[in-house]
Amino acid sequence: MEDRLLVTASPHIRDHSTTRGLMGNVVIALLPAVLASALIFGARALLLVVVTTFACVAFEYIYERLLHKTNTVGDLSAVVTGIILALNMPVGMPVWIAVVGAFVAIVITKQLFGGLGYNFANPALVGRIVLFLGFTSRMTAYVYPDMAVDALASATPLASSVDRHAVSLLDMFLGLHGGMMGEVCVLAILLGFAYLVATKTIQATIPVTIVATVFILTTLNTGDPYVALIECMSGGLLFGSVFMATDYVTSPFTTKGKLYYGVFIGLITFLIRHFGSMNEGMSYAILLGNLMTPWFNAWGHQTPLGYKKPKKAKKAAEEGGKA
């Protein structure tokens, strides 16, 4: 008998994707951002990426070895966490602080909750937030490219003191301004995004919804689409939308859930940026979105074909009996 005639339990549609393969695609998608950070900020950017990646892999291996758990270093998830964490830091970050961030991401956020598939939030995201809260001055000590324009020499484009109309779209697109290593070059992020979508590693739903929400709300609030565009290209909005908000474990799996999730993150980011006490709010918005994911999945659950609510079904049965 042919396999297609067998009746089995769901899921009925399968593919040959593996965790290692998916994580490998993410690593490839991150390479443009790694290369761009090295070209913009210098060789030390590569050093930071190597240190955090090695630290994440080492912490995962040591933890699992000590607890006699199955070694999962080969699935490349720790490598992805290390690269993303490094790209969420300024290039001048001391190496020992980067290692602290790797420990928080792998041991505390990932392994203590059961490992890959059980973490409540994106490990690299939590690592970034902890470093920002514990080492604020270091995390905001941006190094600026020599070729950056004067208007960006004293503040990031999100700073309230910066005139958004004086900011060049080309400089924003190429990353010629200060900020976290992986967030400054829009071109590199878009190349990674295109690769992830083309290989079906992620869907475009979440990133597009987040960016569209921030753009629309900022335009309505400021009345200036140019300012909204600059804000969408600034800070961690694009990088977080593509590489952090789309994490399989901590993001919704239903289409409606993804839309709710994207709108929620975009809304929280907009509120923090415009009405909060900080210029950037993407990390906290994603963290809140991660915590809300079970509700988004429930609210976005698809209705089975032919399903009727109990009350309607009961009413239909009564009408059928009368007939």
Side-chain angles (χ1 to χ4, degrees), residues 26-39:
V26 179
V27 171
I28 294 173
L30 285 165
L31 291 180
V34 173
L35 178 60
S37 65
L39 293 175

Side-chain angles (χ1 to χ4, degrees), residues 16-298:
H16 300 288
S17 298
T18 62
T19 300
R20 181 184 177 87
L22 294 172
M23 293 298 116
N25 285 338
V26 179
V27 171
I28 294 173
L30 285 165
L31 291 180
V34 173
L35 178 60
S37 65
L39 293 175
I40 295 170
F41 298 109
R44 197 178 190 286
L46 294 179
L47 172 64
L48 207 56
V49 171
V50 171
V51 168
T52 55
T53 302
F54 177 80
C56 285
V57 172
F59 282 133
E60 182 156 305
Y61 177 82
I62 294 171
Y63 182 91
E64 292 177 337
R65 190 67 181 270
L66 290 175
L67 271 68
H68 305 288
K69 299 176 64 176
T70 303
N71 186 271
T72 59
V73 170
D75 64 16
L76 300 181
S77 61
V79 174
V80 170
T81 298
I83 298 175
I84 293 178
L85 180 62
L87 295 177
N88 272 282
M89 300 179 188
V91 71
M93 177 65 70
V95 171
W96 71 270
I97 296 181
V99 174
V100 171
F103 178 84
V104 172
I106 295 297
V107 177
I108 297 178
T109 310
K110 182 180 179 182
Q111 292 298 336
L112 289 182
F113 283 88
L116 183 65
Y118 297 95
N119 44 288
F120 71 95
N122 184 289
L125 173 69
V126 177
R128 168 184 168 137
I129 291 175
V130 169
L131 291 184
F132 187 84
L133 294 175
F135 306 94
T136 306
S137 60
R138 293 289 190 178
M139 285 291 284
T140 55
Y142 303 128
V143 175
Y144 300 88
D146 294 335
M147 66 286 283
V149 296
D150 293 338
L152 300 179
S154 60
T156 63
L158 282 176
S160 58
S161 60
V162 172
D163 180 6
R164 306 290 196 280
H165 291 280
V167 179
S168 167
L169 286 177
L170 180 61
D171 287 340
M172 296 296 300
F173 189 71
L174 298 178
L176 306 183
H177 59 91
M180 303 299 183
M181 295 195 308
E183 299 174 351
V184 294
C185 185
V186 174
L187 174 60
I189 297 172
L190 292 180
L191 289 175
F193 173 65
Y195 179 81
L196 291 176
V197 173
T199 56
K200 297 182 179 180
T201 304
I202 68 170
Q203 294 180 342
T205 307
I206 292 174
V208 171
T209 305
I210 294 174
V211 176
T213 300
V214 173
F215 179 82
I216 293 172
L217 293 177
T218 304
T219 300
L220 293 175
N221 184 55
T222 63
D224 192 336
Y226 187 87
V227 172
L229 181 59
I230 291 295
E231 289 208 9
C232 287
M233 298 172 71
S234 304
L237 181 64
L238 292 178
F239 187 85
S241 298
V242 174
F243 295 107
M244 301 171 78
T246 55
D247 177 51
Y248 284 159
V249 179
T250 57
S251 63
F253 53 79
T254 64
T255 301
K256 289 182 180 179
K258 292 178 188 293
L259 291 173
Y260 297 151
Y261 177 75
V263 171
F264 177 81
I265 292 177
L267 173 62
I268 297 300
T269 301
F270 164 77
L271 292 176
I272 293 176
R273 285 185 173 187
H274 289 262
F275 303 101
S277 58
M278 60 182 68
N279 296 325
E280 176 63 274
M282 188 61 179
S283 297
Y284 299 99
I286 297 177
L287 178 59
L288 291 174
N290 290 166
L291 298 177
M292 289 287 292
T293 290
W295 283 274
F296 293 139
N297 279 327

